[in-house]
Amino acid sequence: MNEQRQNQYLVLPDNGQRKDTKLAVEYSEEQIADYMKLGYVIVNQADFNKLIGNADGEYLIADDGSVYPKPAPTDAELLPAAKQKKLAEVTQWTAANITGGFVSSASGEPVRYDSDVDTQLTMQGIALNVGTPLFAEKYPDGCPVRGVAEGKDSKAVYLLSPQQVMQWMADLSMHIGSCKQAGWQKQAEVNACKTVAEVDAIKL
């Protein structure tokens, strides 16, 4: 066999059609030269696919150049991609839940606060200083945090004491932990799926 001719075909054209096809790797350079004298041309695999209208890989090509319709992918073949797509959706869903707000009763009543990354970082920085003179100087009446109380439609400002700030942070941490656990549960459900239909049935 001529290893230099891997993925190449000897094609005999006939009025724009393919009259005959041979796998070039099965012939020596001398034999290939003889075929070319008979009108055969060397075509690489990419050009051969274009020649037979298979540029998108819709058909299967046998070693002798015969073309067959490609069978529809099986459920087992589709399952890994379906799982990967759903797992990516779970990751986005988990992140959205974490940053989508949470409820804390740090002020003495249930209030829904923001939990976006900027708010998390800001409150973490404030919590590090609740026991310092700086906190007392900057927030003599308490740290202002905006949130929406239960039954209300608009945000109000809540002044949180040092202890209330720490409770706020504890509630935020519990919220983040709960969201992550819910995400892990969804990931486990996806990984346990045996069919694409089972994957598609998982709701977020």
Side-chain angles (χ1 to χ4, degrees):
M1 287 189 179
N2 188 343
E3 297 299 333
Q4 294 180 340
R5 293 297 185 179
Q6 289 281 2
N7 300 321
Q8 289 185 333
Y9 296 89
L10 281 162
V11 176
L12 179 62
D14 181 25
N15 294 324
Q17 300 298 315
R18 182 169 55 97
K19 186 175 181 180
D20 187 29
T21 303
K22 301 181 185 299
L23 194 63
V25 72
E26 296 181 348
Y27 300 89
S28 67
E29 287 295 333
E30 292 77 11
Q31 290 172 314
I32 289 174
D34 289 338
Y35 275 118
M36 293 181 73
K37 291 176 182 177
L38 297 174
Y40 283 80
V41 293
I42 291 288
V43 178
N44 63 34
Q45 191 166 31
D47 288 337
F48 183 74
N49 277 314
K50 293 177 183 178
L51 176 67
I52 64 174
N54 192 41
D56 58 359
E58 184 178 352
Y59 299 96
L60 295 174
I61 304 171
D63 286 346
D64 63 358
S66 299
V67 181
Y68 303 94
K70 182 180 290 185
T74 65
D75 193 83
E77 292 171 332
L78 294 172
L79 186 58
K83 283 187 174 183
Q84 185 177 18
K85 180 175 181 292
K86 183 65 72 172
L87 287 172
E89 292 174 1
V90 170
T91 297
Q92 295 176 349
W93 174 77
T94 303
N97 284 342
I98 289 174
T99 60
F102 75 108
V103 175
S104 171
S105 295
S107 67
E109 62 177 313
V111 177
R112 185 167 188 83
Y113 297 96
D114 292 339
S115 58
D116 56 90
V117 175
D118 286 343
T119 298
Q120 292 181 41
L121 293 175
T122 298
M123 292 301 291
Q124 286 171 7
I126 292 172
L128 291 173
N129 290 281
V130 292
T132 67
L134 179 63
F135 183 92
E137 177 184 342
K138 188 171 182 62
Y139 307 118
D141 299 320
C143 175
V145 185
R146 295 203 312 160
V148 180
E150 266 190 2
K152 302 293 184 181
D153 296 324
S154 58
K155 288 184 176 180
V157 175
Y158 295 87
L159 301 175
L160 305 183
S161 67
Q163 294 79 11
Q164 289 173 327
V165 169
M166 297 309 294
Q167 182 60 53
W168 191 99
M169 287 300 303
D171 291 339
L172 172 63
S173 295
M174 292 297 293
H175 163 73
I176 293 174
S178 295
C179 291
K180 287 187 175 182
Q181 288 179 27
W184 297 337
Q185 178 61 38
K186 290 294 183 181
Q187 289 174 346
E189 291 177 21
V190 173
N191 289 328
C193 289
K194 303 299 183 184
T195 66
V196 174
E198 291 178 357
V199 174
D200 292 341
I202 295 177
K203 303 301 181 184
L204 302 176

